[in-house]
Amino acid sequence: MHLLTKGFMQDYLCWYAHGELFVPNKSMVERVVGSSSSASNMHEVGNENSNPYKNMVMDAMRMSEGNVSEFPNVEEELNADAAKFFDLLKDSDEPLWDGCTNHSKLLVVAQVFTIKSDHGLSEADYDKIIEWARSILPEGNRLKENFYAAKSMIKPLGLGYQKIDMCSNFYMLYYLENTELTECMTCGHSRYKPRTGRGKTLVAYKKLRYFPITPRL
């Protein structure tokens, strides 16, 4: 309760004691660390003129300005995770069209996804909005053409979730020792919908999406 109400360090906004560092150069590090500034001051100085969407990519990929300062210029092939990271980093800085100064590819996708979520828009609604937006933007704009393409672009930012089949009447989860069951132990309701043809994949009536808390902490 003490941690919930008071936290463990006042104004600890930038987690500099836990590997988070957004200070662009050595002189600024010396100026901040050598002073009596608080954690909030360090956060403020380190993030001066920073790109919040670039910081979002850094956080999601568990990276920091301290160990990634520029795009790789080596010829060797990047592994899959590194390639996704640098693609997103590029998208956070790349303008929506040549000459655009206030919208990046990642910023626009993130904002439109927020609008979709806030207003409960369907994927079809999203695609119609994007189709209209692309028609009024300059030629050569980099706005993703539909929901599928946009979702694929920002997927690496998510922490993922686990799908678990559950009873249609909310009595149980088909999980751990109950993974192989095909009907509810309490109400007897079938786990799967009837198959309409041979070779069709079994589809559960209802699924739980479990978001593990440990990666978020």
Side-chain angles (χ1 to χ4, degrees):
M1 183 56 69
H2 176 88
L3 287 174
L4 287 173
T5 56
K6 298 181 180 297
F8 56 90
M9 188 183 297
Q10 187 175 5
D11 296 327
Y12 190 39
L13 303 177
C14 176
W15 287 34
Y16 64 90
H18 294 77
E20 191 171 277
L21 183 64
F22 296 124
V23 181
N25 55 54
K26 182 179 179 181
S27 62
M28 186 168 286
V29 172
E30 293 173 348
R31 175 158 58 90
V32 175
V33 176
S35 69
S36 58
S37 61
S38 65
S40 60
N41 289 336
M42 183 169 185
H43 174 80
E44 183 177 342
V45 173
N47 284 283
E48 184 178 2
N49 298 322
S50 64
N51 179 342
Y53 287 87
K54 183 176 180 180
N55 293 341
M56 179 175 68
V57 174
M58 293 286 190
D59 286 344
M61 298 295 186
R62 293 172 173 78
M63 303 294 284
S64 72
E65 295 282 9
N67 53 24
V68 176
S69 58
E70 58 184 20
F71 299 110
N73 54 11
V74 293
E75 294 182 358
E76 63 185 83
E77 186 177 353
L78 296 171
N79 63 47
D81 289 339
K84 290 177 183 178
F85 168 71
F86 284 108
D87 284 345
L88 279 170
L89 207 59
K90 179 183 176 183
D91 290 339
S92 70
D93 282 327
E94 188 173 11
L96 188 59
W97 67 85
D98 292 338
C100 178
T101 59
N102 57 352
H103 291 86
S104 70
K105 286 175 60 178
L106 183 59
L107 180 152
V108 172
V109 169
Q111 290 182 339
V112 179
F113 260 76
T114 300
I115 294 173
K116 178 185 182 301
S117 177
D118 288 346
H119 297 279
L121 301 179
S122 67
E123 293 182 19
D125 293 335
Y126 181 99
D127 288 347
K128 288 179 181 179
I129 292 173
I130 295 301
E131 182 181 1
W132 170 79
R134 284 170 60 87
S135 71
I136 63 174
L137 289 174
E139 289 290 333
N141 70 82
R142 301 176 181 91
L143 180 62
K144 289 295 183 179
E145 61 273 16
N146 53 41
F147 178 81
Y148 178 80
K151 185 177 180 180
S152 299
M153 171 185 169
I154 66 172
K155 185 176 180 180
L157 290 175
L159 291 173
Y161 57 85
Q162 180 181 358
K163 289 183 180 179
I164 303 173
D165 293 351
M166 63 183 296
C167 170
S168 183
N169 295 316
F170 303 97
Y171 283 113
M172 64 169 287
L173 298 177
Y174 296 97
Y175 186 60
L176 297 179
E177 67 274 9
N178 298 323
T179 302
E180 302 301 324
L181 297 181
T182 58
E183 62 180 35
C184 178
M185 295 185 297
T186 301
C187 68
H189 195 285
S190 175
R191 173 179 179 177
Y192 300 110
K193 298 177 181 179
R195 288 193 287 187
T196 57
R198 296 184 62 185
K200 294 289 185 179
T201 303
L202 289 171
V203 178
Y205 276 101
K206 195 173 292 292
K207 289 181 180 288
L208 167 77
R209 286 171 174 79
Y210 169 57
F211 295 82
I213 188 65
T214 303
R216 284 157 171 73
L217 293 177

